[in-house]
Amino acid sequence: DAGVTQSPTHLIKTRGQQVTLRCSPKSGHDTVSWYQQALGQGPQFIFQYYEEEERQRGNFPDRFSGHQFPNYSSELNVNALLLGDSALYLCASSTDRVLGYGYTFGSGTRLTVV
Amino acid sequence: LAKTTQPISMDSYEGQEVNITCSHNNIATNDYITWYQQFPSQGPRFIIQGYKTKVTNEVASLFIPADRKSSTLSLPRVSLSDTAVYYCLVGMNSGGYQKVTFGTGTKLQVIP
């Protein structure tokens, strides 16, 4: 049973560019959450998608947007990249059918903005 | 969301039992307590989850006192491979929604 798959694993972009990160959730999971983790910090919640809609959002600017597809996979888009956007971006999948927390994380995409 | 407080770092010798305590004074009635483990450049990995009293699985035990204002993750007989950052989270399902907020975690260093 495949877990959460993220692509690409590493990415280098120039300041001002746009980037798209992809995530395939664990089989049986219908909810996808995205996190940003700066070096030495805990993951920070960006937003969560369920039934193809953003239903919760953390304290991130509108430059961060996302999408969820009918097969539950998801994309994270970041526009007008800043040097401070350099981080490990984590995707986590879950399902509301399981009470409490059952987040499965991917290994992340390491984004470097130069 | 309930805020959690954990020690920033801990050291332990191989083979010892390690207890990491998390404080969550404003935990809500419907909140669950969950612990994750994270290795460098990897996503967090679910360790254990509980609501009250004691929960045990093949990896760890979670002790939650009656007032639920704190919890303790217990790792029996740690090995070098247990060196990682451990996160304590509290949160709830609310109308089917889930919120997960990570703190800074506890960096555990296992010494040979």
Side-chain angles (χ1 to χ4, degrees), chain A residues 53-86:
Chain A
E53 291 192 358
E54 180 186 299
R55 69 175 183 180
Q56 293 189 67
R57 189 179 184 92
N59 188 28
F60 279 81
D62 292 344
R63 298 188 297 108
F64 290 77
S65 64
H67 188 76
Q68 185 179 35
F69 299 93
N71 66 352
Y72 307 121
S73 66
S74 177
E75 290 182 348
L76 164 66
N77 300 293
V78 186
N79 295 322
L81 285 167
L82 303 174
L83 297 180
D85 294 331
S86 295

Side-chain angles (χ1 to χ4, degrees), chain A residues 31 35 37 40-45 48 55-56 88 90 94-96 98-108 110, chain B residues 31-32 34 36 38 41-46 49 87 89-93 95-104:
Chain A
T31 302
Y35 288 81
Q37 186 172 25
Q41 303 296 317
Q44 299 299 305
F45 176 73
Q48 183 181 83
R55 69 175 183 180
Q56 293 189 67
L88 180 67
L90 296 163
S94 59
T95 176
D96 284 351
V98 176
L99 187 64
Y101 290 85
Y103 277 47
T104 301
F105 283 83
S107 296
R110 172 70 63 185
Chain B
D31 281 348
Y32 281 73
T34 311
Y36 284 82
Q38 187 178 28
S41 297
Q42 292 187 26
R45 182 177 74 98
F46 173 88
Q49 179 184 93
Y87 294 98
L89 289 80
V90 296
M92 55 184 278
N93 284 345
Y97 290 8
Q98 299 176 4
K99 279 193 173 184
V100 178
T101 300
F102 288 78
T104 54

Side-chain angles (χ1 to χ4, degrees), chain B residues 27-99:
Chain B
I27 188 169
T29 302
N30 294 332
D31 281 348
Y32 281 73
I33 300 157
T34 311
W35 287 80
Y36 284 82
Q37 174 194 56
Q38 187 178 28
F39 299 111
S41 297
Q42 292 187 26
R45 182 177 74 98
F46 173 88
I47 300 175
I48 197 166
Q49 179 184 93
Y51 183 79
K52 61 180 179 180
T53 64
K54 176 183 175 182
V55 179
T56 298
N57 61 23
E58 64 279 5
V59 177
S61 294
L62 178 59
F63 299 91
I64 305 169
D67 65 7
R68 304 200 327 123
K69 293 183 183 298
S70 67
S71 59
T72 300
L73 174 72
S74 181
L75 304 172
R77 300 175 61 81
V78 294
S79 64
L80 297 177
S81 63
D82 292 318
T83 294
V85 178
Y86 292 82
Y87 294 98
C88 163
L89 289 80
V90 296
M92 55 184 278
N93 284 345
S94 176
Y97 290 8
Q98 299 176 4
K99 279 193 173 184

